[in-house]
Amino acid sequence: DIQMTQSPSSLSASVGDRVTITCRASQGISHYLAWFQQKPGKVPKLLIYAASTLQSGVPSRFSGSGSGTDFTLTISSLQPEDVATYYCQKYNSVPKTFGQGTKVEIK
Amino acid sequence: EVQLVQSGAEVKKPGESLKISCKGSGYSFTSYWIGWVRQVPGNGPEWMGIIYPGDSDTRYSPSFQGQVTISADKSTSTAYLQWSGLKASDTAMYFCARHDSTGFGDYWGQGTLVTVSS
């Protein structure tokens, strides 16, 4: 099975900072990658699919890039409401594995 | 409006059986895959498996194959996740999610907390 590895596992940044999270697949998955945001006690929320397509209603400060094995989620200007754990997920085939998550906090 | 509404929280003893549900509305239930995701408190989500209600084609993660059964009832637009013998390690929140035609979960249920304790 394809493994998904995120880095870093956690980060702390200031409001307004640019934040970058990386997700690496152990084999190529083309563009079949999604990013989710999960706040404590809440349902995971789809942010990005097809590696770079923003889900409707998601603020434009979120963006995604990459293809093949290496992917990036960027928050261009971190806001207090962005405090959450972010997960990547590959969906080209089953099992549709999630990354282990990146916890984002405000410094 | 697409909605997935899951059944309520459950408290069970080890060895008991359980079936939780996920009712879809606001879309053609038989035309989209529905998947199940486990999340142990404090951990990340784990993809368990998926079913296509149109023909009941079902796929499981190797980690969950043989441990759970996924099913669906077209007549009630409801998907199910069941266990025949619960273990304490099954204690978790379980989410269902409708999968877009290309394969990602675009709409999610609110989650069902399953607690297994003697």
Side-chain angles (χ1 to χ4, degrees), chain B residues 22 27-35 50-58 71-75 77-80 98:
Chain B
C22 169
Y27 72 99
S28 174
F29 183 75
T30 54
S31 300
Y32 290 83
W33 293 80
I34 286 195
I50 196 166
I51 187 165
Y52 189 74
D55 62 6
S56 294
D57 186 4
T58 309
S71 60
D73 182 341
K74 289 189 287 191
S75 68
S77 299
T78 304
Y80 298 96
R98 189 190 85 159

mmCIF file with all atom_site columns, all heavy atoms in Angstrom, chain B residues 22 27-35 50-58 71-75 77-80 98:
data_model
loop_
_atom_site.group_PDB
_atom_site.id
_atom_site.type_symbol
_atom_site.label_atom_id
_atom_site.label_alt_id
_atom_site.label_comp_id
_atom_site.label_asym_id
_atom_site.label_entity_id
_atom_site.label_seq_id
_atom_site.pdbx_PDB_ins_code
_atom_site.Cartn_x
_atom_site.Cartn_y
_atom_site.Cartn_z
_atom_site.occupancy
_atom_site.B_iso_or_equiv
_atom_site.pdbx_formal_charge
_atom_site.auth_seq_id
_atom_site.auth_comp_id
_atom_site.auth_asym_id
_atom_site.auth_atom_id
_atom_site.pdbx_PDB_model_num
ATOM 1   N N   . CYS B 1 22 ? -25.662 5.591  8.417  1.00 0.00 ? 22 CYS B N   1
ATOM 2   C CA  . CYS B 1 22 ? -25.360 6.867  7.778  1.00 0.00 ? 22 CYS B CA  1
ATOM 3   C C   . CYS B 1 22 ? -26.399 7.071  6.687  1.00 0.00 ? 22 CYS B C   1
ATOM 4   O O   . CYS B 1 22 ? -26.391 6.359  5.679  1.00 0.00 ? 22 CYS B O   1
ATOM 5   C CB  . CYS B 1 22 ? -23.951 6.808  7.192  1.00 0.00 ? 22 CYS B CB  1
ATOM 6   S SG  . CYS B 1 22 ? -23.495 8.159  6.091  1.00 0.00 ? 22 CYS B SG  1
ATOM 7   N N   . TYR B 1 27 ? -29.260 14.022 -2.673 1.00 0.00 ? 27 TYR B N   1
ATOM 8   C CA  . TYR B 1 27 ? -28.522 13.619 -3.879 1.00 0.00 ? 27 TYR B CA  1
ATOM 9   C C   . TYR B 1 27 ? -28.953 12.196 -4.234 1.00 0.00 ? 27 TYR B C   1
ATOM 10  O O   . TYR B 1 27 ? -29.669 11.546 -3.467 1.00 0.00 ? 27 TYR B O   1
ATOM 11  C CB  . TYR B 1 27 ? -27.010 13.702 -3.656 1.00 0.00 ? 27 TYR B CB  1
ATOM 12  C CG  . TYR B 1 27 ? -26.432 12.634 -2.743 1.00 0.00 ? 27 TYR B CG  1
ATOM 13  C CD1 . TYR B 1 27 ? -25.813 11.499 -3.262 1.00 0.00 ? 27 TYR B CD1 1
ATOM 14  C CD2 . TYR B 1 27 ? -26.514 12.750 -1.355 1.00 0.00 ? 27 TYR B CD2 1
ATOM 15  C CE1 . TYR B 1 27 ? -25.290 10.525 -2.437 1.00 0.00 ? 27 TYR B CE1 1
ATOM 16  C CE2 . TYR B 1 27 ? -26.001 11.781 -0.515 1.00 0.00 ? 27 TYR B CE2 1
ATOM 17  C CZ  . TYR B 1 27 ? -25.385 10.669 -1.065 1.00 0.00 ? 27 TYR B CZ  1
ATOM 18  O OH  . TYR B 1 27 ? -24.869 9.688  -0.233 1.00 0.00 ? 27 TYR B OH  1
ATOM 19  N N   . SER B 1 28 ? -28.499 11.713 -5.376 1.00 0.00 ? 28 SER B N   1
ATOM 20  C CA  . SER B 1 28 ? -28.814 10.360 -5.801 1.00 0.00 ? 28 SER B CA  1
ATOM 21  C C   . SER B 1 28 ? -27.932 9.368  -5.040 1.00 0.00 ? 28 SER B C   1
ATOM 22  O O   . SER B 1 28 ? -26.750 9.192  -5.367 1.00 0.00 ? 28 SER B O   1
ATOM 23  C CB  . SER B 1 28 ? -28.584 10.217 -7.311 1.00 0.00 ? 28 SER B CB  1
ATOM 24  O OG  . SER B 1 28 ? -28.756 8.873  -7.703 1.00 0.00 ? 28 SER B OG  1
ATOM 25  N N   . PHE B 1 29 ? -28.507 8.725  -4.019 1.00 0.00 ? 29 PHE B N   1
ATOM 26  C CA  . PHE B 1 29 ? -27.730 7.874  -3.105 1.00 0.00 ? 29 PHE B CA  1
ATOM 27  C C   . PHE B 1 29 ? -27.025 6.753  -3.842 1.00 0.00 ? 29 PHE B C   1
ATOM 28  O O   . PHE B 1 29 ? -25.922 6.352  -3.468 1.00 0.00 ? 29 PHE B O   1
ATOM 29  C CB  . PHE B 1 29 ? -28.672 7.307  -2.038 1.00 0.00 ? 29 PHE B CB  1
ATOM 30  C CG  . PHE B 1 29 ? -27.999 6.467  -0.993 1.00 0.00 ? 29 PHE B CG  1
ATOM 31  C CD1 . PHE B 1 29 ? -27.238 7.056  0.010  1.00 0.00 ? 29 PHE B CD1 1
ATOM 32  C CD2 . PHE B 1 29 ? -28.138 5.086  -0.990 1.00 0.00 ? 29 PHE B CD2 1
ATOM 33  C CE1 . PHE B 1 29 ? -26.611 6.278  0.980  1.00 0.00 ? 29 PHE B CE1 1
ATOM 34  C CE2 . PHE B 1 29 ? -27.526 4.304  -0.030 1.00 0.00 ? 29 PHE B CE2 1
ATOM 35  C CZ  . PHE B 1 29 ? -26.764 4.902  0.966  1.00 0.00 ? 29 PHE B CZ  1
ATOM 36  N N   . THR B 1 30 ? -27.641 6.232  -4.899 1.00 0.00 ? 30 THR B N   1
ATOM 37  C CA  . THR B 1 30 ? -27.070 5.067  -5.580 1.00 0.00 ? 30 THR B CA  1
ATOM 38  C C   . THR B 1 30 ? -25.964 5.429  -6.561 1.00 0.00 ? 30 THR B C   1
ATOM 39  O O   . THR B 1 30 ? -25.349 4.539  -7.152 1.00 0.00 ? 30 THR B O   1
ATOM 40  C CB  . THR B 1 30 ? -28.173 4.302  -6.340 1.00 0.00 ? 30 THR B CB  1
ATOM 41  O OG1 . THR B 1 30 ? -28.853 5.213  -7.212 1.00 0.00 ? 30 THR B OG1 1
ATOM 42  C CG2 . THR B 1 30 ? -29.166 3.677  -5.372 1.00 0.00 ? 30 THR B CG2 1
ATOM 43  N N   . SER B 1 31 ? -25.682 6.715  -6.733 1.00 0.00 ? 31 SER B N   1
ATOM 44  C CA  . SER B 1 31 ? -24.717 7.149  -7.742 1.00 0.00 ? 31 SER B CA  1
ATOM 45  C C   . SER B 1 31 ? -23.366 7.578  -7.182 1.00 0.00 ? 31 SER B C   1
ATOM 46  O O   . SER B 1 31 ? -22.483 7.990  -7.947 1.00 0.00 ? 31 SER B O   1
ATOM 47  C CB  . SER B 1 31 ? -25.306 8.314  -8.562 1.00 0.00 ? 31 SER B CB  1
ATOM 48  O OG  . SER B 1 31 ? -26.496 7.914  -9.201 1.00 0.00 ? 31 SER B OG  1
ATOM 49  N N   . TYR B 1 32 ? -23.204 7.524  -5.879 1.00 0.00 ? 32 TYR B N   1
ATOM 50  C CA  . TYR B 1 32 ? -21.947 7.943  -5.250 1.00 0.00 ? 32 TYR B CA  1
ATOM 51  C C   . TYR B 1 32 ? -21.488 6.878  -4.258 1.00 0.00 ? 32 TYR B C   1
ATOM 52  O O   . TYR B 1 32 ? -22.282 6.318  -3.508 1.00 0.00 ? 32 TYR B O   1
ATOM 53  C CB  . TYR B 1 32 ? -22.134 9.253  -4.484 1.00 0.00 ? 32 TYR B CB  1
ATOM 54  C CG  . TYR B 1 32 ? -22.356 10.462 -5.348 1.00 0.00 ? 32 TYR B CG  1
ATOM 55  C CD1 . TYR B 1 32 ? -23.630 10.768 -5.839 1.00 0.00 ? 32 TYR B CD1 1
ATOM 56  C CD2 . TYR B 1 32 ? -21.305 11.305 -5.676 1.00 0.00 ? 32 TYR B CD2 1
ATOM 57  C CE1 . TYR B 1 32 ? -23.833 11.878 -6.638 1.00 0.00 ? 32 TYR B CE1 1
ATOM 58  C CE2 . TYR B 1 32 ? -21.506 12.433 -6.464 1.00 0.00 ? 32 TYR B CE2 1
ATOM 59  C CZ  . TYR B 1 32 ? -22.771 12.706 -6.942 1.00 0.00 ? 32 TYR B CZ  1
ATOM 60  O OH  . TYR B 1 32 ? -22.987 13.810 -7.732 1.00 0.00 ? 32 TYR B OH  1
ATOM 61  N N   . TRP B 1 33 ? -20.167 6.653  -4.230 1.00 0.00 ? 33 TRP B N   1
ATOM 62  C CA  . TRP B 1 33 ? -19.592 5.797  -3.202 1.00 0.00 ? 33 TRP B CA  1
ATOM 63  C C   . TRP B 1 33 ? -19.746 6.467  -1.836 1.00 0.00 ? 33 TRP B C   1
ATOM 64  O O   . TRP B 1 33 ? -19.697 7.685  -1.727 1.00 0.00 ? 33 TRP B O   1
ATOM 65  C CB  . TRP B 1 33 ? -18.112 5.563  -3.472 1.00 0.00 ? 33 TRP B CB  1
ATOM 66  C CG  . TRP B 1 33 ? -17.817 4.755  -4.699 1.00 0.00 ? 33 TRP B CG  1
ATOM 67  C CD1 . TRP B 1 33 ? -17.798 5.203  -5.998 1.00 0.00 ? 33 TRP B CD1 1
ATOM 68  C CD2 . TRP B 1 33 ? -17.472 3.377  -4.755 1.00 0.00 ? 33 TRP B CD2 1
ATOM 69  N NE1 . TRP B 1 33 ? -17.454 4.181  -6.844 1.00 0.00 ? 33 TRP B NE1 1
ATOM 70  C CE2 . TRP B 1 33 ? -17.241 3.042  -6.122 1.00 0.00 ? 33 TRP B CE2 1
ATOM 71  C CE3 . TRP B 1 33 ? -17.294 2.370  -3.791 1.00 0.00 ? 33 TRP B CE3 1
ATOM 72  C CZ2 . TRP B 1 33 ? -16.880 1.752  -6.527 1.00 0.00 ? 33 TRP B CZ2 1
ATOM 73  C CZ3 . TRP B 1 33 ? -16.935 1.098  -4.194 1.00 0.00 ? 33 TRP B CZ3 1
ATOM 74  C CH2 . TRP B 1 33 ? -16.730 0.802  -5.545 1.00 0.00 ? 33 TRP B CH2 1
ATOM 75  N N   . ILE B 1 34 ? -19.909 5.645  -0.808 1.00 0.00 ? 34 ILE B N   1
ATOM 76  C CA  . ILE B 1 34 ? -19.864 6.132  0.567  1.00 0.00 ? 34 ILE B CA  1
ATOM 77  C C   . ILE B 1 34 ? -18.781 5.364  1.298  1.00 0.00 ? 34 ILE B C   1
ATOM 78  O O   . ILE B 1 34 ? -18.733 4.125  1.247  1.00 0.00 ? 34 ILE B O   1
ATOM 79  C CB  . ILE B 1 34 ? -21.206 5.957  1.297  1.00 0.00 ? 34 ILE B CB  1
ATOM 80  C CG1 . ILE B 1 34 ? -22.198 6.987  0.775  1.00 0.00 ? 34 ILE B CG1 1
ATOM 81  C CG2 . ILE B 1 34 ? -21.030 6.147  2.807  1.00 0.00 ? 34 ILE B CG2 1
ATOM 82  C CD1 . ILE B 1 34 ? -23.418 7.177  1.633  1.00 0.00 ? 34 ILE B CD1 1
ATOM 83  N N   . GLY B 1 35 ? -17.918 6.108  1.981  1.00 0.00 ? 35 GLY B N   1
ATOM 84  C CA  . GLY B 1 35 ? -16.824 5.496  2.715  1.00 0.00 ? 35 GLY B CA  1
ATOM 85  C C   . GLY B 1 35 ? -16.959 5.689  4.214  1.00 0.00 ? 35 GLY B C   1
ATOM 86  O O   . GLY B 1 35 ? -17.736 6.532  4.679  1.00 0.00 ? 35 GLY B O   1
ATOM 87  N N   . ILE B 1 50 ? -15.221 1.331  1.591  1.00 0.00 ? 50 ILE B N   1
ATOM 88  C CA  . ILE B 1 50 ? -16.134 2.112  0.775  1.00 0.00 ? 50 ILE B CA  1
ATOM 89  C C   . ILE B 1 50 ? -17.130 1.187  0.086  1.00 0.00 ? 50 ILE B C   1
ATOM 90  O O   . ILE B 1 50 ? -16.800 0.029  -0.200 1.00 0.00 ? 50 ILE B O   1
ATOM 91  C CB  . ILE B 1 50 ? -15.296 2.927  -0.238 1.00 0.00 ? 50 ILE B CB  1
ATOM 92  C CG1 . ILE B 1 50 ? -16.063 4.048  -0.868 1.00 0.00 ? 50 ILE B CG1 1
ATOM 93  C CG2 . ILE B 1 50 ? -14.667 2.028  -1.291 1.00 0.00 ? 50 ILE B CG2 1
ATOM 94  C CD1 . ILE B 1 50 ? -15.154 5.032  -1.593 1.00 0.00 ? 50 ILE B CD1 1
ATOM 95  N N   . ILE B 1 51 ? -18.333 1.701  -0.152 1.00 0.00 ? 51 ILE B N   1
ATOM 96  C CA  . ILE B 1 51 ? -19.356 0.917  -0.840 1.00 0.00 ? 51 ILE B CA  1
ATOM 97  C C   . ILE B 1 51 ? -20.040 1.778  -1.891 1.00 0.00 ? 51 ILE B C   1
ATOM 98  O O   . ILE B 1 51 ? -20.218 2.985  -1.698 1.00 0.00 ? 51 ILE B O   1
ATOM 99  C CB  . ILE B 1 51 ? -20.393 0.355  0.163  1.00 0.00 ? 51 ILE B CB  1
ATOM 100 C CG1 . ILE B 1 51 ? -21.360 -0.605 -0.527 1.00 0.00 ? 51 ILE B CG1 1
ATOM 101 C CG2 . ILE B 1 51 ? -21.158 1.479  0.881  1.00 0.00 ? 51 ILE B CG2 1
ATOM 102 C CD1 . ILE B 1 51 ? -22.178 -1.464 0.440  1.00 0.00 ? 51 ILE B CD1 1
ATOM 103 N N   . TYR B 1 52 ? -20.397 1.145  -3.010 1.00 0.00 ? 52 TYR B N   1
ATOM 104 C CA  . TYR B 1 52 ? -21.180 1.817  -4.034 1.00 0.00 ? 52 TYR B CA  1
ATOM 105 C C   . TYR B 1 52 ? -22.604 1.301  -3.922 1.00 0.00 ? 52 TYR B C   1
ATOM 106 O O   . TYR B 1 52 ? -22.874 0.149  -4.296 1.00 0.00 ? 52 TYR B O   1
ATOM 107 C CB  . TYR B 1 52 ? -20.621 1.527  -5.429 1.00 0.00 ? 52 TYR B CB  1
ATOM 108 C CG  . TYR B 1 52 ? -21.248 2.360  -6.518 1.00 0.00 ? 52 TYR B CG  1
ATOM 109 C CD1 . TYR B 1 52 ? -20.926 3.706  -6.644 1.00 0.00 ? 52 TYR B CD1 1
ATOM 110 C CD2 . TYR B 1 52 ? -22.166 1.814  -7.410 1.00 0.00 ? 52 TYR B CD2 1
ATOM 111 C CE1 . TYR B 1 52 ? -21.506 4.479  -7.636 1.00 0.00 ? 52 TYR B CE1 1
ATOM 112 C CE2 . TYR B 1 52 ? -22.742 2.576  -8.414 1.00 0.00 ? 52 TYR B CE2 1
ATOM 113 C CZ  . TYR B 1 52 ? -22.415 3.908  -8.514 1.00 0.00 ? 52 TYR B CZ  1
ATOM 114 O OH  . TYR B 1 52 ? -22.990 4.680  -9.501 1.00 0.00 ? 52 TYR B OH  1
ATOM 115 N N   . PRO B 1 53 ? -23.512 2.093  -3.355 1.00 0.00 ? 53 PRO B N   1
ATOM 116 C CA  . PRO B 1 53 ? -24.867 1.591  -3.109 1.00 0.00 ? 53 PRO B CA  1
ATOM 117 C C   . PRO B 1 53 ? -25.611 1.118  -4.361 1.00 0.00 ? 53 PRO B C   1
ATOM 118 O O   . PRO B 1 53 ? -26.518 0.299  -4.262 1.00 0.00 ? 53 PRO B O   1
ATOM 119 C CB  . PRO B 1 53 ? -25.572 2.803  -2.482 1.00 0.00 ? 53 PRO B CB  1
ATOM 120 C CG  . PRO B 1 53 ? -24.480 3.593  -1.856 1.00 0.00 ? 53 PRO B CG  1
ATOM 121 C CD  . PRO B 1 53 ? -23.322 3.439  -2.801 1.00 0.00 ? 53 PRO B CD  1
ATOM 122 N N   . GLY B 1 54 ? -25.207 1.594  -5.519 1.00 0.00 ? 54 GLY B N   1
ATOM 123 C CA  . GLY B 1 54 ? -25.891 1.208  -6.741 1.00 0.00 ? 54 GLY B CA  1
ATOM 124 C C   . GLY B 1 54 ? -25.836 -0.281 -7.014 1.00 0.00 ? 54 GLY B C   1
ATOM 125 O O   . GLY B 1 54 ? -26.806 -0.882 -7.497 1.00 0.00 ? 54 GLY B O   1
ATOM 126 N N   . ASP B 1 55 ? -24.669 -0.899 -6.693 1.00 0.00 ? 55 ASP B N   1
ATOM 127 C CA  . ASP B 1 55 ? -24.524 -2.339 -6.931 1.00 0.00 ? 55 ASP B CA  1
ATOM 128 C C   . ASP B 1 55 ? -23.881 -3.079 -5.762 1.00 0.00 ? 55 ASP B C   1
ATOM 129 O O   . ASP B 1 55 ? -23.545 -4.249 -5.888 1.00 0.00 ? 55 ASP B O   1
ATOM 130 C CB  . ASP B 1 55 ? -23.709 -2.582 -8.214 1.00 0.00 ? 55 ASP B CB  1
ATOM 131 C CG  . ASP B 1 55 ? -22.297 -2.033 -8.134 1.00 0.00 ? 55 ASP B CG  1
ATOM 132 O OD1 . ASP B 1 55 ? -21.893 -1.565 -7.042 1.00 0.00 ? 55 ASP B OD1 1
ATOM 133 O OD2 . ASP B 1 55 ? -21.587 -2.058 -9.147 1.00 0.00 ? 55 ASP B OD2 1
ATOM 134 N N   . SER B 1 56 ? -23.714 -2.359 -4.646 1.00 0.00 ? 56 SER B N   1
ATOM 135 C CA  . SER B 1 56 ? -23.123 -2.919 -3.416 1.00 0.00 ? 56 SER B CA  1
ATOM 136 C C   . SER B 1 56 ? -21.666 -3.352 -3.572 1.00 0.00 ? 56 SER B C   1
ATOM 137 O O   . SER B 1 56 ? -21.161 -4.118 -2.746 1.00 0.00 ? 56 SER B O   1
ATOM 138 C CB  . SER B 1 56 ? -23.961 -4.082 -2.871 1.00 0.00 ? 56 SER B CB  1
ATOM 139 O OG  . SER B 1 56 ? -25.216 -3.598 -2.439 1.00 0.00 ? 56 SER B OG  1
ATOM 140 N N   . ASP B 1 57 ? -20.986 -2.891 -4.602 1.00 0.00 ? 57 ASP B N   1
ATOM 141 C CA  . ASP B 1 57 ? -19.544 -3.130 -4.730 1.00 0.00 ? 57 ASP B CA  1
ATOM 142 C C   . ASP B 1 57 ? -18.870 -2.523 -3.508 1.00 0.00 ? 57 ASP B C   1
ATOM 143 O O   . ASP B 1 57 ? -19.103 -1.362 -3.167 1.00 0.00 ? 57 ASP B O   1
ATOM 144 C CB  . ASP B 1 57 ? -19.026 -2.471 -6.003 1.00 0.00 ? 57 ASP B CB  1
ATOM 145 C CG  . ASP B 1 57 ? -17.560 -2.801 -6.278 1.00 0.00 ? 57 ASP B CG  1
ATOM 146 O OD1 . ASP B 1 57 ? -16.962 -3.604 -5.538 1.00 0.00 ? 57 ASP B OD1 1
ATOM 147 O OD2 . ASP B 1 57 ? -17.018 -2.238 -7.247 1.00 0.00 ? 57 ASP B OD2 1
ATOM 148 N N   . THR B 1 58 ? -18.068 -3.322 -2.812 1.00 0.00 ? 58 THR B N   1
ATOM 149 C CA  . THR B 1 58 ? -17.464 -2.895 -1.552 1.00 0.00 ? 58 THR B CA  1
ATOM 150 C C   . THR B 1 58 ? -15.968 -3.161 -1.580 1.00 0.00 ? 58 THR B C   1
ATOM 151 O O   . THR B 1 58 ? -15.525 -4.222 -2.026 1.00 0.00 ? 58 THR B O   1
ATOM 152 C CB  . THR B 1 58 ? -18.102 -3.641 -0.367 1.00 0.00 ? 58 THR B CB  1
ATOM 153 O OG1 . THR B 1 58 ? -19.529 -3.538 -0.444 1.00 0.00 ? 58 THR B OG1 1
ATOM 154 C CG2 . THR B 1 58 ? -17.652 -3.046 0.974  1.00 0.00 ? 58 THR B CG2 1
ATOM 155 N N   . SER B 1 71 ? -22.200 -2.159 4.463  1.00 0.00 ? 71 SER B N   1
ATOM 156 C CA  . SER B 1 71 ? -23.348 -2.507 3.631  1.00 0.00 ? 71 SER B CA  1
ATOM 157 C C   . SER B 1 71 ? -24.160 -1.248 3.347  1.00 0.00 ? 71 SER B C   1
ATOM 158 O O   . SER B 1 71 ? -23.889 -0.179 3.897  1.00 0.00 ? 71 SER B O   1
ATOM 159 C CB  . SER B 1 71 ? -24.220 -3.560 4.329  1.00 0.00 ? 71 SER B CB  1
ATOM 160 O OG  . SER B 1 71 ? -24.699 -3.055 5.567  1.00 0.00 ? 71 SER B OG  1
ATOM 161 N N   . ALA B 1 72 ? -25.164 -1.398 2.481  1.00 0.00 ? 72 ALA B N   1
ATOM 162 C CA  . ALA B 1 72 ? -26.024 -0.262 2.168  1.00 0.00 ? 72 ALA B CA  1
ATOM 163 C C   . ALA B 1 72 ? -27.412 -0.757 1.785  1.00 0.00 ? 72 ALA B C   1
ATOM 164 O O   . ALA B 1 72 ? -27.555 -1.861 1.229  1.00 0.00 ? 72 ALA B O   1
ATOM 165 C CB  . ALA B 1 72 ? -25.425 0.568  1.029  1.00 0.00 ? 72 ALA B CB  1
ATOM 166 N N   . ASP B 1 73 ? -28.404 0.055  2.081  1.00 0.00 ? 73 ASP B N   1
ATOM 167 C CA  . ASP B 1 73 ? -29.796 -0.247 1.742  1.00 0.00 ? 73 ASP B CA  1
ATOM 168 C C   . ASP B 1 73 ? -30.288 0.875  0.834  1.00 0.00 ? 73 ASP B C   1
ATOM 169 O O   . ASP B 1 73 ? -30.510 2.007  1.290  1.00 0.00 ? 73 ASP B O   1
ATOM 170 C CB  . ASP B 1 73 ? -30.626 -0.327 3.025  1.00 0.00 ? 73 ASP B CB  1
ATOM 171 C CG  . ASP B 1 73 ? -32.081 -0.680 2.754  1.00 0.00 ? 73 ASP B CG  1
ATOM 172 O OD1 . ASP B 1 73 ? -32.548 -0.528 1.613  1.00 0.00 ? 73 ASP B OD1 1
ATOM 173 O OD2 . ASP B 1 73 ? -32.755 -1.117 3.691  1.00 0.00 ? 73 ASP B OD2 1
ATOM 174 N N   . LYS B 1 74 ? -30.440 0.555  -0.442 1.00 0.00 ? 74 LYS B N   1
ATOM 175 C CA  . LYS B 1 74 ? -30.871 1.566  -1.412 1.00 0.00 ? 74 LYS B CA  1
ATOM 176 C C   . LYS B 1 74 ? -32.256 2.116  -1.077 1.00 0.00 ? 74 LYS B C   1
ATOM 177 O O   . LYS B 1 74 ? -32.533 3.289  -1.292 1.00 0.00 ? 74 LYS B O   1
ATOM 178 C CB  . LYS B 1 74 ? -30.904 0.955  -2.820 1.00 0.00 ? 74 LYS B CB  1
ATOM 179 C CG  . LYS B 1 74 ? -29.554 0.662  -3.397 1.00 0.00 ? 74 LYS B CG  1
ATOM 180 C CD  . LYS B 1 74 ? -29.650 0.269  -4.861 1.00 0.00 ? 74 LYS B CD  1
ATOM 181 C CE  . LYS B 1 74 ? -30.222 -1.109 -5.042 1.00 0.00 ? 74 LYS B CE  1
ATOM 182 N NZ  . LYS B 1 74 ? -30.069 -1.578 -6.453 1.00 0.00 ? 74 LYS B NZ  1
ATOM 183 N N   . SER B 1 75 ? -33.112 1.249  -0.545 1.00 0.00 ? 75 SER B N   1
ATOM 184 C CA  . SER B 1 75 ? -34.503 1.657  -0.325 1.00 0.00 ? 75 SER B CA  1
ATOM 185 C C   . SER B 1 75 ? -34.628 2.751  0.730  1.00 0.00 ? 75 SER B C   1
ATOM 186 O O   . SER B 1 75 ? -35.591 3.524  0.722  1.00 0.00 ? 75 SER B O   1
ATOM 187 C CB  . SER B 1 75 ? -35.362 0.456  0.062  1.00 0.00 ? 75 SER B CB  1
ATOM 188 O OG  . SER B 1 75 ? -34.993 -0.027 1.339  1.00 0.00 ? 75 SER B OG  1
ATOM 189 N N   . SER B 1 77 ? -31.728 4.699  1.537  1.00 0.00 ? 77 SER B N   1
ATOM 190 C CA  . SER B 1 77 ? -30.580 5.595  1.315  1.00 0.00 ? 77 SER B CA  1
ATOM 191 C C   . SER B 1 77 ? -29.650 5.610  2.529  1.00 0.00 ? 77 SER B C   1
ATOM 192 O O   . SER B 1 77 ? -29.186 6.665  2.972  1.00 0.00 ? 77 SER B O   1
ATOM 193 C CB  . SER B 1 77 ? -31.047 7.031  0.994  1.00 0.00 ? 77 SER B CB  1
ATOM 194 O OG  . SER B 1 77 ? -31.819 7.056  -0.179 1.00 0.00 ? 77 SER B OG  1
ATOM 195 N N   . THR B 1 78 ? -29.392 4.438  3.053  1.00 0.00 ? 78 THR B N   1
ATOM 196 C CA  . THR B 1 78 ? -28.613 4.325  4.284  1.00 0.00 ? 78 THR B CA  1
ATOM 197 C C   . THR B 1 78 ? -27.452 3.353  4.104  1.00 0.00 ? 78 THR B C   1
ATOM 198 O O   . THR B 1 78 ? -27.642 2.257  3.578  1.00 0.00 ? 78 THR B O   1
ATOM 199 C CB  . THR B 1 78 ? -29.496 3.871  5.454  1.00 0.00 ? 78 THR B CB  1
ATOM 200 O OG1 . THR B 1 78 ? -30.597 4.785  5.602  1.00 0.00 ? 78 THR B OG1 1
ATOM 201 C CG2 . THR B 1 78 ? -28.704 3.821  6.750  1.00 0.00 ? 78 THR B CG2 1
ATOM 202 N N   . ALA B 1 79 ? -26.281 3.788  4.548  1.00 0.00 ? 79 ALA B N   1
ATOM 203 C CA  . ALA B 1 79 ? -25.111 2.921  4.586  1.00 0.00 ? 79 ALA B CA  1
ATOM 204 C C   . ALA B 1 79 ? -24.870 2.497  6.030  1.00 0.00 ? 79 ALA B C   1
ATOM 205 O O   . ALA B 1 79 ? -25.252 3.203  6.976  1.00 0.00 ? 79 ALA B O   1
ATOM 206 C CB  . ALA B 1 79 ? -23.887 3.653  4.028  1.00 0.00 ? 79 ALA B CB  1
ATOM 207 N N   . TYR B 1 80 ? -24.238 1.334  6.179  1.00 0.00 ? 80 TYR B N   1
ATOM 208 C CA  . TYR B 1 80 ? -24.025 0.767  7.505  1.00 0.00 ? 80 TYR B CA  1
ATOM 209 C C   . TYR B 1 80 ? -22.585 0.321  7.683  1.00 0.00 ? 80 TYR B C   1
ATOM 210 O O   . TYR B 1 80 ? -21.905 -0.066 6.732  1.00 0.00 ? 80 TYR B O   1
ATOM 211 C CB  . TYR B 1 80 ? -24.937 -0.444 7.718  1.00 0.00 ? 80 TYR B CB  1
ATOM 212 C CG  . TYR B 1 80 ? -26.402 -0.138 7.658  1.00 0.00 ? 80 TYR B CG  1
ATOM 213 C CD1 . TYR B 1 80 ? -27.125 -0.328 6.478  1.00 0.00 ? 80 TYR B CD1 1
ATOM 214 C CD2 . TYR B 1 80 ? -27.088 0.343  8.778  1.00 0.00 ? 80 TYR B CD2 1
ATOM 215 C CE1 . TYR B 1 80 ? -28.479 -0.043 6.410  1.00 0.00 ? 80 TYR B CE1 1
ATOM 216 C CE2 . TYR B 1 80 ? -28.441 0.630  8.715  1.00 0.00 ? 80 TYR B CE2 1
ATOM 217 C CZ  . TYR B 1 80 ? -29.132 0.435  7.538  1.00 0.00 ? 80 TYR B CZ  1
ATOM 218 O OH  . TYR B 1 80 ? -30.475 0.723  7.487  1.00 0.00 ? 80 TYR B OH  1
ATOM 219 N N   . ARG B 1 98 ? -19.537 10.878 1.741  1.00 0.00 ? 98 ARG B N   1
ATOM 220 C CA  . ARG B 1 98 ? -19.848 10.668 0.326  1.00 0.00 ? 98 ARG B CA  1
ATOM 221 C C   . ARG B 1 98 ? -18.591 10.947 -0.475 1.00 0.00 ? 98 ARG B C   1
ATOM 222 O O   . ARG B 1 98 ? -17.871 11.911 -0.202 1.00 0.00 ? 98 ARG B O   1
ATOM 223 C CB  . ARG B 1 98 ? -20.963 11.612 -0.116 1.00 0.00 ? 98 ARG B CB  1
ATOM 224 C CG  . ARG B 1 98 ? -21.479 11.297 -1.509 1.00 0.00 ? 98 ARG B CG  1
ATOM 225 C CD  . ARG B 1 98 ? -22.382 12.364 -2.026 1.00 0.00 ? 98 ARG B CD  1
ATOM 226 N NE  . ARG B 1 98 ? -21.639 13.455 -2.646 1.00 0.00 ? 98 ARG B NE  1
ATOM 227 C CZ  . ARG B 1 98 ? -22.166 14.314 -3.513 1.00 0.00 ? 98 ARG B CZ  1
ATOM 228 N NH1 . ARG B 1 98 ? -23.440 14.208 -3.853 1.00 0.00 ? 98 ARG B NH1 1
ATOM 229 N NH2 . ARG B 1 98 ? -21.440 15.288 -4.024 1.00 0.00 ? 98 ARG B NH2 1
#
